[in-house]
Amino acid sequence: MKIYDLHSHSLHSDGKLTPAELVLRASAMGVDVLALTDHDITDGIKAAQAAAQDTPLTLVPGVEISATWENRTVHIVGLNIDISNTALQTGLSSIREHRAARAIEIGEQLEKRGIADAHEGASRLARGAILSRTHFAEFMVREGHAKDFNRAFRDWLGDRGKAFVKTRWAPLQDAINWINAAGGQAVIAHPGRYRLGKSLLKKLFGDFTDMGGAAIEVVSGSQKPEDALYFARESVRHGLLASAGSDFHDPQYRWRELGRNLRLPEACNPVWKDW
Ligand code: AMP
Ligand code: MN
Ligand code: MN
Ligand code: MN
């Protein structure tokens, strides 16, 4: 059986590897089909496709869009998108503006609480890529402001942290529309990570279906096996397809390796069934 890994990041967003390094690592890990899904940007796709030509791996052009639903942030992966689509690219560039403005505010919040030059430090680590909280977390750990990555999020950057800045991302309907306009399939990324109760999750799946979404990421990196069974049943109940992805960012995070433990439970309809 082929291994599909339909969620991964490069250094064009908050990943550590270049698109080419990512493709080679995925291929070495036995991945047959890989989607590069950087946050709110598709700049790495061409290089990933070029690298994939020298391997047996098939590269799926993708993106992970930051969206807002019911006043909460959700991530929507777009698979098999046409990256030349204007509606998609205009939408993504508007989100990147919000992202840049938020990064300045995060820097100001940290500054007020005695942590200077965080915006500058995070920018240096991002090396020209769009700024993510991941870059701020790395800066804080390096400078000794947080003991580790998890604590940087828990104490400072996460939604209960001291320097959390609320952002209005794309409305969920817009994110789905941009992906559909670009000929892609919209997927709810890592549904287990939003800390939604079962009834809110059901509402999210229902709204997402009504808005033209295609699939749920039933299997996601570092998720419990029973969660996959639950999301598999929900995908079938809503008539949605099922996707699988590691959400790989960094070779140092061993628990989220490319291509590992991504097999879908029996009952679901794979998002790739008509590819
Ligand atoms: P942003 O899109 O800039 O808000 O940053 C979100 C990114 O931060 C996610 O894509 C993850 O890669 C990372 N992240 C979010 N929460 C945590 C956490 N608690 N621990 C480690 N990384 C996290
Ligand atoms: Mn990320
Ligand atoms: Mn995500
Ligand atoms: Mn991701």
Side-chain angles (χ1 to χ4, degrees):
M1 257 224 283
K2 281 193 183 178
I3 297 183
Y4 287 81
D5 188 337
L6 302 179
H7 187 155
S8 70
H9 297 271
S10 77
L11 47 65
H12 287 277
S13 61
D14 58 349
K16 273 282 181 281
L17 305 182
T18 65
E21 288 166 346
L22 178 77
V23 164
L24 294 181
R25 186 179 181 93
S27 186
M29 293 291 172
V31 173
D32 296 288
V33 182
L34 174 76
L36 172 59
T37 57
D38 274 315
H39 296 286
D40 307 317
I41 197 155
T42 59
D43 285 5
I45 299 294
K46 289 222 165 94
Q49 280 171 324
Q53 299 214 313
D54 304 327
T55 74
L57 178 149
T58 303
L59 193 280
V60 171
V63 68
E64 181 175 13
I65 302 183
S66 311
T68 298
W69 172 80
E70 303 268 303
N71 215 18
R72 296 157 189 273
T73 297
V74 292
H75 285 177
I76 305 300
V77 160
L79 297 175
N80 270 316
I81 46 168
D82 168 9
I83 61 169
S84 71
N85 181 271
T86 310
L88 173 68
Q89 291 301 345
T90 308
L92 294 181
S93 95
S94 76
I95 303 178
R96 292 197 297 271
E97 283 173 25
H98 286 290
R99 201 173 251 295
R102 179 191 66 158
I104 290 171
E105 280 189 63
I106 293 174
E108 288 168 357
Q109 290 298 322
L110 289 169
E111 182 102 48
K112 269 193 210 158
R113 289 164 177 78
I115 298 178
D117 303 326
H119 186 271
E120 199 191 320
S123 305
R124 222 178 304 117
L125 292 168
R127 286 189 278 171
I130 50 165
L131 276 183
S132 156
R133 283 182 292 167
T134 311
H135 301 116
F136 281 95
E138 194 181 339
F139 166 81
M140 295 185 74
V141 174
R142 281 187 184 215
E143 298 294 314
H145 301 299
K147 276 221 171 90
D148 58 42
F149 220 74
N150 280 331
R151 272 180 256 215
F153 273 91
R154 189 193 67 191
D155 299 338
W156 296 96
L157 303 163
D159 58 10
R160 293 164 193 177
K162 286 175 276 208
F164 179 69
V165 175
K166 200 165 169 70
T167 315
R168 282 211 157 270
W169 302 110
L172 177 60
Q173 180 72 76
D174 290 7
I176 295 169
N177 288 351
W178 300 335
I179 291 166
N180 288 343
Q185 289 163 294
V187 184
I188 299 181
H190 44 65
R193 245 184 271 156
Y194 304 124
R195 285 186 268 139
L196 299 172
K198 284 208 167 157
S199 68
L200 262 180
L201 257 183
K202 284 200 166 103
K203 180 160 176 13
L204 172 60
F205 296 151
D207 287 1
F208 179 75
T209 309
D210 295 342
M211 290 177 186
I216 297 176
E217 201 170 78
V218 163
V219 175
S220 167
S222 73
Q223 160 188 281
K224 295 188 293 274
E226 59 266 33
D227 288 347
L229 288 174
Y230 173 70
F231 295 134
R233 281 197 298 275
E234 284 298 301
S235 70
V236 172
R237 211 169 65 81
H238 289 275
L240 292 167
L241 302 171
S243 187
S246 62
D247 201 6
F248 176 86
H249 283 72
D250 183 332
Q252 281 186 26
Y253 309 163
R254 289 295 149 101
W255 57 96
R256 247 195 243 174
E257 184 53 85
L258 287 158
R260 287 295 139 84
N261 302 321
L262 294 178
R263 192 189 293 236
L264 288 178
E266 288 295 328
C268 28
N269 292 308
V271 68
W272 55 84
K273 74 178 169 55
D274 296 325
W275 290 4

